[in-house]
Amino acid sequence: MVTEMTAESAPGELTIHRGLDGVVVDSTRISKVMPEINSLVYFGYPVQELAEHCCFEEVAWLLWHGELPGAQQLVAFQAEGRSRRHLSPALLEVIRRAPRTAHPMDVLRTAVSFLGMEDPDPDTQNAAVNLDRSISLMAKIPIMLAAFYRLRQGKEIIPPRSDLGFAQNFFHLCLGQVPSPEVVRAFEVSLILYAEHGFNASTFTSRVVVSTLSDIYSGVTAAIGSLKGPLHGGANEEVMRMLLEVGRPEHARDWMLEALRQKRKIMGFGHRVYKHGDSRCPTMEKHTRRMGELTGQMKWMEIADILKATMLQEKNIHPNLDFYSGPAYYLMGIDIDVFTPIFVMARITGWTAHIIEQMAANRLIRPLSHYTGPGERRVQPLAQRT
Ligand code: COA
């Protein structure tokens, strides 16, 4: 007998957990999602407190070392990261040759894969070497992304500045200027909230890849492919497209009712783990609202508020982080198709922390499947087949 997605099954029965729903596949020290109390911790620290008190580099250090850095450690770590903000001429050429119409996620996927081929010692896979590679990936991914951002607009690539923080430098590279501290802070908060989230699809993808003893670049390349989908990271782009489609607050309620009537999946709502609200939303919502005030464009949050109220009333489904990060990035003047790549800039820290953790106590990830195809049959020689 086959049971689908039930918590228990009698001896001899086969239980299928479609989408691995509710399955605990391994343990991790890195983060804990607690849907019952609407909380998320990185190595024990609530993400809201990290977002309030830390810069993104501190959180990256935490995810890689398990502790927050001391002042001197942070300065040295920041200097190290800043010294790696460059790409080889060959990698820049790969980005230059990317079709201007390519999605920046595809460009990042290829650029990270190319970076792996440039590694002079790809077969060494110990934790120290992989941490060193992780620092480089964190430093170089924004450079890759910004290079494509500029090139596809027919503009010159802007050289990085080593006197700027991680978030500031990204604005400088893409837009040629650093916005006000409040905007930079909102961006940095989004990176901290995006940095890590348990065994989500892309993190799990990266762990599956390296569980075969493949390399860290392959794990990250695959994770980028996984994050791109609209059910995962791609949702932050789709949220903004939805807000643009709705257009005006007075259309929002009817738009949502009609979309639900058509059984559309509404982007930025719902979550596999959180069923009573996403722990990261209140922090991001506050900053997105502030972006609206600063730019004098409150209408996106007015639309969002009505969509949220209607969705809660009709389906009792809560918004997730993407619902607020999408409009925040839009209000910062960033192109919509760069929203998910920004998620990569943040989640590279969580992915690589998990890759290192997986490799430290590896067991090949290889689940079973329940076969539902035809029963065993004989192969007819080609001449006898009709
Ligand atoms: N819009 C409309 N209905 C939704 C929904 C959404 N965003 N999210 C969940 N639902 C509905 C499902 O259709 C299902 O309804 P049914 O029981 O009538 O079939 C019910 O809620 C349960 O959802 P389920 O499909 O079991 O949730 P899941 O855990 O498989 O899916 C997501 C989680 C994230 C994939 C899903 O909520 C979704 O597609 N959200 C939109 C994309 C998104 O924002 N992704 C970012 C996640 S951080």
Side-chain angles (χ1 to χ4, degrees):
M1 183 179 171
V2 178
T3 319
E4 280 205 2
M5 281 174 45
T6 53
E8 294 173 23
S9 54
E13 280 185 352
L14 175 64
T15 305
I16 297 178
H17 299 270
R18 293 199 61 232
L20 296 181
D21 197 344
V23 175
V24 179
V25 238
D26 208 336
S27 36
T28 179
R29 298 185 66 240
I30 301 168
S31 69
K32 185 175 183 189
V33 186
M34 291 171 281
E36 59 289 349
I37 54 165
N38 226 348
S39 186
L40 165 66
V41 294
Y42 300 169
F43 281 100
Y45 293 110
V47 72
Q48 297 84 352
E49 284 185 35
L50 294 169
E52 196 178 330
H53 299 294
C54 299
C55 67
F56 180 57
E57 287 106 318
E58 281 174 89
V59 175
W61 174 284
L62 170 68
L63 292 173
W64 288 331
H65 295 274
E67 296 294 341
L68 284 166
Q72 282 181 354
Q73 285 171 320
L74 180 63
V75 169
F77 177 60
Q78 285 174 324
E80 187 59 46
R82 289 169 194 201
S83 74
R84 299 187 193 197
R85 289 176 179 169
H86 53 80
L87 306 178
S88 71
L91 178 43
L92 269 176
E93 189 56 27
V94 167
I95 297 171
R96 264 184 216 287
R97 285 173 182 243
R100 295 290 170 264
T101 51
H103 194 288
M105 282 296 272
D106 297 343
V107 178
L108 273 191
R109 195 188 54 216
T110 298
V112 167
S113 181
F114 192 89
L115 190 71
M117 291 191 286
E118 292 188 316
D119 193 314
D121 187 19
D123 295 331
T124 302
Q125 292 298 333
N126 63 56
V129 171
N130 277 334
L131 176 58
D132 190 71
R133 289 171 176 145
S134 306
I135 296 168
S136 285
L137 281 161
M138 176 178 158
K140 293 179 191 301
I141 282 172
I143 313 291
M144 297 169 182
L145 180 55
F148 184 64
Y149 195 98
R150 302 283 300 177
L151 288 168
R152 74 172 180 184
Q153 293 175 356
K155 294 181 180 162
E156 281 302 307
I157 295 173
I158 299 174
R161 276 175 52 186
S162 57
D163 59 322
L164 295 179
F166 185 87
Q168 288 175 316
N169 188 54
F170 180 66
F171 283 104
H172 159 72
L173 291 174
C174 289
L175 307 177
Q177 58 191 34
V178 178
S180 72
E182 240 181 320
V183 175
V184 173
R185 189 64 207 152
F187 186 78
E188 189 142 24
V189 163
S190 79
L191 297 180
I192 293 169
L193 298 176
Y194 266 142
E196 163 57 15
H197 212 212
F199 275 32
N200 59 86
S202 56
T203 299
F204 188 60
T205 300
S206 72
R207 291 189 75 129
V208 170
V209 170
V210 302
S211 83
T212 69
L213 302 186
S214 183
D215 62 285
I216 187 169
Y217 302 100
S218 300
V220 171
T221 303
I224 293 173
S226 173
L227 187 74
K228 182 184 168 191
L231 296 191
H232 191 10
N236 60 7
E237 298 178 16
E238 295 306 323
V239 165
M240 196 59 226
R241 295 194 181 100
M242 171 180 72
L243 295 178
L244 289 164
E245 185 186 325
V246 175
R248 297 161 64 153
E250 49 274 35
H251 293 164
R253 185 175 157 77
D254 287 347
W255 184 95
M256 179 61 94
L257 293 175
E258 178 57 19
L260 291 176
R261 199 188 60 74
Q262 291 176 12
K263 303 239 175 291
R264 277 173 72 170
K265 269 267 153 70
I266 317 297
M267 293 295 137
F269 284 92
H271 199 273
R272 172 58 62 80
V273 183
Y274 298 116
K275 297 299 178 193
H276 312 291
D278 183 329
S279 62
R280 304 162 296 178
C281 275
T283 307
M284 196 66 232
E285 180 182 355
K286 186 180 77 185
H287 286 278
T288 308
R289 225 171 267 290
R290 185 71 188 127
M291 291 302 101
E293 286 164 11
L294 285 176
T295 54
Q297 290 190 63
M298 287 307 292
K299 86 165 178 179
W300 305 114
M301 286 308 282
E302 286 166 18
I303 295 173
D305 287 342
I306 297 168
L307 293 178
K308 175 182 167 183
T310 314
M311 185 63 144
L312 280 171
Q313 185 184 32
E314 295 295 313
K315 301 270 287 183
N316 197 26
I317 297 176
H318 292 257
N320 55 52
L321 175 58
D322 298 316
F323 189 66
Y324 294 109
S325 64
Y329 297 149
Y330 184 80
L331 290 165
M332 291 171 192
I334 299 170
D335 291 352
I336 293 177
D337 63 1
V338 174
F339 296 0
T340 315
I342 292 170
F343 195 157
V344 174
M345 278 169 47
R347 188 58 63 85
I348 186 65
T349 55
W351 287 337
T352 47
H354 277 272
I355 286 170
I356 293 167
E357 186 180 62
Q358 177 70 34
M359 285 179 166
N362 188 50
R363 182 160 166 81
L364 175 72
I365 300 173
R366 203 300 186 191
L368 299 174
S369 55
H370 171 60
Y371 176 69
T372 57
E376 192 170 327
R377 45 189 174 157
R378 301 275 72 81
V379 175
Q380 298 286 325
L382 184 59
Q384 293 172 22
R385 276 178 248 154
T386 51

